[in-house]
Amino acid sequence: EEKVELQTTLGQLPQQILEELILLMKERNVNMSQEGDEIEVDLDAFDDETLWELDRRAKAFLKKEPESQKRVCIINICFKSLY
């Protein structure tokens, strides 16, 4: 359930912030698959520490940014099924 929530939160981030989190993901899991602008992320492949760090950073950004300043992300991230 928390991973599904994280997936939703990541999908709400603007491109710049998402790119920063993608760098963190790549540092901690080099097996991420990327084809062009599309990145496949398997949240099950990350340890709890990384997942909590991603969640903390994503929520901190969403909390401080006014709704009018949030932008739609251009990078596509495909999450493996978490259900």
Side-chain angles (χ1 to χ4, degrees):
E1 184 175 305
E2 291 170 337
K3 290 180 185 176
V4 173
E5 183 181 333
L6 175 58
Q7 176 182 343
T8 302
T9 302
L10 292 173
Q12 297 173 8
L13 297 174
Q15 181 178 351
Q16 178 185 359
I17 301 303
L18 194 53
E19 286 175 353
E20 291 176 21
L21 294 181
I22 289 169
L23 289 175
L24 173 66
M25 289 182 219
K26 285 181 177 180
E27 287 174 3
R28 299 193 183 181
N29 182 353
V30 294
N31 296 324
M32 288 177 42
S33 139
Q34 181 171 359
E35 188 173 314
D37 284 343
E38 189 169 295
I39 299 172
E40 185 173 295
V41 176
D42 181 2
L43 292 178
D44 289 328
F46 294 98
D47 61 26
D48 289 342
E49 181 181 337
T50 301
L51 293 172
W52 285 116
E53 181 68 15
L54 291 170
D55 186 66
R56 184 188 66 73
R57 290 186 188 191
K59 287 181 177 175
F61 172 79
L62 291 175
K63 186 176 181 177
K64 73 177 183 177
E65 284 300 306
E67 195 65 35
S68 62
Q69 291 185 8
K70 295 178 187 167
R71 296 176 287 136
V72 176
C73 178
I74 297 173
I75 294 176
N76 297 314
I77 295 186
C78 300
F79 293 94
K80 292 188 176 183
S81 177
L82 300 174
Y83 303 101

